[in-house]
Amino acid sequence: MPRGRYSLHDPHDHTPFAAEHFHCAPGPSGWRYVSQLTSPSGDHRGSVDLALDDLGRPIRLELHAASWQVRGAALDGVTWVRTDPTGAHATEGNVRAHAFTGTSPAFLIAVTRLLRLTPSDSATRLRLVAFTEPVLAPRTVDQSWALLKRETHSTDNGPLTVDEYQVTALDTGEQHLVHIAGDVVLSAPGIELEDLESPPSVT
């Protein structure tokens, strides 16, 4: 069960905005990721709880940030309920999309488990619902993912396979690289792995 800490920052000006303390593990029905977020001053900032089925589809998502809450799942595309800080004005949403995304590294792992790409595959297009900080406002985005290469490195804990993905935002054409080993993000825009207590799970 990988357990560790990511630092999250603005990918453009590198301003730090959170530390994400996480643990994740494959289970009998898929994969689950749980994390708590703290601000640079150490205050509680939010949480992530994401469970996937064995095909990589989100069967449960629960996000908390700035007193806002989102609960969602794959249902007729993806469906969610977003609740305001007072709890008086819950809103529902549904989009014909493949999965959810957001600032947490969990969502990058979730996409790779959904797509199951190999280096010989062509780029795959998918539609995602992004919940943007700090109020978890939903926004539909279209991306293209390609697995550029897969390399195995020797470590003290045995071989480590690292996948390099190229992610393209289809509305702007902006591209960036994501490096993932098993169910841990090694590097991505706005994300740095600061501490890892145990090796990644093999996906």
Side-chain angles (χ1 to χ4, degrees), residues 117-189:
L117 296 175
T118 67
S120 61
D121 292 337
S122 57
T124 299
R125 175 177 177 154
L126 73 164
R127 174 162 288 181
L128 303 169
V129 172
F131 293 107
T132 55
E133 297 281 349
V135 295
L136 303 180
R139 181 171 60 93
T140 303
V141 298
D142 292 304
Q143 295 179 345
S144 172
W145 281 65
L147 177 53
L148 299 184
K149 60 184 177 181
R150 174 171 288 161
E151 296 181 338
T152 301
H153 305 270
S154 59
T155 72
D156 293 340
N157 296 307
L160 182 70
T161 300
V162 179
D163 290 340
E164 180 180 278
Y165 293 90
Q166 183 178 72
V167 182
T168 304
L170 296 180
D171 56 345
T172 64
E174 182 180 1
Q175 295 182 328
H176 60 265
L177 297 177
V178 174
H179 294 88
I180 290 175
D183 54 0
V184 172
V185 176
L186 301 181
S187 66

Side-chain angles (χ1 to χ4, degrees), residues 2-20:
R3 181 184 300 269
R5 174 172 51 87
Y6 294 107
S7 63
L8 308 182
H9 56 266
D10 187 298
H12 303 291
D13 64 13
H14 303 289
T15 302
F17 67 83
E20 184 161 342

Side-chain angles (χ1 to χ4, degrees), residues 65-144:
S67 299
W68 292 87
Q69 175 181 295
V70 167
R71 294 176 184 264
L75 182 66
D76 296 327
V78 293
T79 299
W80 68 91
V81 175
R82 176 174 173 264
T83 306
D84 67 294
T86 67
H89 303 288
T91 57
E92 296 184 8
N94 172 263
V95 172
R96 288 287 182 181
H98 298 90
F100 300 108
T101 191
T103 57
S104 173
F107 296 112
L108 299 177
I109 303 294
V111 167
T112 65
R113 296 182 73 91
L114 179 69
L115 297 180
R116 302 180 188 274
L117 296 175
T118 67
S120 61
D121 292 337
S122 57
T124 299
R125 175 177 177 154
L126 73 164
R127 174 162 288 181
L128 303 169
V129 172
F131 293 107
T132 55
E133 297 281 349
V135 295
L136 303 180
R139 181 171 60 93
T140 303
V141 298
D142 292 304
Q143 295 179 345
S144 172

Side-chain angles (χ1 to χ4, degrees), residues 18-41:
E20 184 161 342
H21 303 263
F22 74 94
H23 63 271
C24 57
S29 61
W31 180 77
R32 187 177 180 199
Y33 178 103
V34 178
S35 70
Q36 297 288 328
L37 288 87
T38 56
S39 69
S41 62

